[in-house]
Amino acid sequence: MNKTVVTVVGKDRVGIIAKICTYMAENQINILDISQTIVSGYFNMMMITESDYTVKDVSTMAQELEKIGNEIGVRVNIQNAEIFEKMHRI
């Protein structure tokens, strides 16, 4: 399974989840888990996704998600879940 971790952070506004989830659906990326919170007007979301069925690599997805993030005023990051786990080991 090709898992990725997607994080979205920025000032809260209508449509953030819709835009990101629409991108996932259009690119055959399955959302395995999702968590989002709003703290003092700031939106924070973390997704674990499975990208086995997309033809795009993580680098391409990162560029496209960054563009979407810029359009809606949030910062979007994506990286391989294995790398994420190794970077955040205690």
Side-chain angles (χ1 to χ4, degrees), residues 5-20:
V5 176
V6 179
T7 57
V8 182
V9 179
K11 188 142 177 61
D12 188 33
R13 61 168 280 188
V14 174
I16 297 171
I17 296 172
K19 282 281 195 181
I20 301 300

Side-chain angles (χ1 to χ4, degrees), residues 14-33:
V14 174
I16 297 171
I17 296 172
K19 282 281 195 181
I20 301 300
C21 289
T22 297
Y23 174 84
M24 299 299 175
E26 288 174 349
N27 289 282
Q28 301 297 308
I29 301 167
N30 188 31
I31 299 168
L32 301 174
D33 200 359

Side-chain angles (χ1 to χ4, degrees), residues 6-7 16-17 21 42 48 61 65 71 73-74 77 81 89:
V6 179
T7 57
I16 297 171
I17 296 172
C21 289
Y42 290 93
I48 308 299
M61 291 187 287
L65 285 167
E71 291 171 2
V74 297
N77 291 309
R89 234 184 246 166

